[in-house]
Amino acid sequence: GAVVSQHPSRVICKSGTSVKIECRSLDFQATTMFWYRQFPKQSLMLMATSNEGSKATYEQGVEKDKFLINHASLTLSTLTVTSAHPEDSSFYICSAGTSGRDYNEQFFGPGTRLTVL
Amino acid sequence: GQNIDQPTEMTATEGAIVQINCTYQTSGFNGLFWYQQHAGEAPTFLSYNVLDGLEEKGRFSSFLSRSKGYSYLLLKELQMKDSASYLCAVMDSNYQLIWGAGTKLIIKP
């Protein structure tokens, strides 16, 4: 099956620092990668959608200068939380989508728990 | 606007059957997904329905009625490990997933 990895799985940082999260599709080429954020006891909130080689499309209310997304290849996307603050503490999950199947399923990474002190 | 509704929480007994409902209103429809999410983990795929009817996969079944904007996930022979949140998501006309808030399922012995 399709496997998506995320690194790191957990990060604790000081307020004002930047944190980079990597998302990799290990055994398939992902035409599209999605970044989600999930606060405790809430559902997934889509932050942005990125296609390889093009700029990410951000959802309304998501600051693109704060959450930098780079999708440099068909197997790697990165999310950088710049100048992180305590309110950015959340569970960040990436997913990778493929085309050419019967349906456009998203395969989720294991998530990254970010805690900003 | 787009909307996915599902119950916030349900409780069931080990060995029993539970049905989790999901109703939706979206701009376009390209399929409905059910995901399972254990606390602190990412969602895992359970089922996909794009045509009306019942899809059975082991202890889990998913039903879809497009005319009613309605789906349900049926879990049989409940096990304690089935305690999790179950997320209903609809793919709209732009092939974007619209997510429900999830149903927390509590299994009691």
Side-chain angles (χ1 to χ4, degrees):
Chain A
V3 179
V4 177
S5 71
Q6 245 180 278
H7 179 79
S9 58
R10 184 181 295 267
V11 60
I12 300 173
C13 68
K14 292 182 179 180
S15 184
T17 59
S18 294
V19 175
K20 180 186 282 189
I21 303 170
E22 288 188 353
C23 176
R24 292 181 185 274
S25 56
L26 299 184
D27 52 1
F28 68 101
Q29 292 187 325
T31 52
T32 307
M33 286 188 170
F34 305 85
W35 285 97
Y36 292 89
R37 181 167 53 181
Q38 187 176 34
F39 292 106
K41 298 184 179 181
Q42 295 186 24
S43 189
L44 301 171
M45 290 172 49
L46 180 64
M47 299 175 68
T49 303
S50 72
N51 294 295
E52 183 262 341
S54 61
K55 289 184 178 180
T57 301
Y58 289 81
E59 295 301 300
Q60 194 171 8
V62 178
E63 301 173 58
K64 59 183 179 183
D65 293 332
K66 180 172 181 62
F67 299 99
L68 302 178
I69 292 173
N70 184 287
H71 193 162
S73 75
L74 286 171
T75 59
L76 173 65
S77 176
T78 60
L79 167 68
T80 302
V81 183
T82 62
S83 187
H85 289 95
E87 58 266 29
D88 298 323
S89 297
S90 186
F91 191 45
Y92 291 86
I93 308 172
C94 74
S95 71
T98 62
S99 60
R101 293 173 59 110
D102 293 334
Y103 52 86
N104 292 312
E105 182 183 345
Q106 293 185 26
F107 301 94
F108 286 87
T112 297
R113 186 159 302 282
L114 171 64
T115 303
V116 185
L117 302 176
Chain B
Q2 309 205 90
N3 197 50
I4 309 281
D5 285 317
Q6 48 182 133
T8 304
E9 186 173 297
M10 299 181 70
T11 302
T13 305
E14 189 177 15
I17 299 173
V18 71
Q19 178 174 310
I20 303 174
N21 295 325
C22 171
T23 58
Y24 63 89
Q25 290 177 309
T26 57
S27 54
F29 180 83
N30 278 301
L32 184 144
F33 297 80
W34 283 97
Y35 285 85
Q36 181 190 60
Q37 185 178 27
H38 285 100
E41 298 180 12
T44 54
F45 171 80
L46 289 179
S47 68
Y48 171 77
N49 294 68
V50 68
L51 299 177
D52 290 350
L54 186 68
E55 294 277 345
E56 297 186 75
K57 192 184 293 185
R59 294 190 298 116
F60 294 5
S61 303
S62 57
F63 172 83
L64 174 68
S65 169
R66 289 172 296 170
S67 62
K68 295 182 179 178
Y70 168 69
S71 172
Y72 67 73
L73 179 69
L74 190 72
L75 293 77
K76 303 176 185 176
E77 302 169 15
L78 286 171
Q79 301 174 10
M80 297 303 293
K81 67 177 182 179
D82 297 329
S83 293
S85 287
Y86 291 86
L87 308 176
C88 172
V90 173
M91 186 164 280
D92 68 8
S93 56
N94 294 320
Y95 291 94
Q96 204 168 82
L97 278 178
I98 310 300
W99 293 87
T103 298
K104 183 178 179 180
L105 178 62
I106 300 169
I107 310 296
K108 295 186 174 180

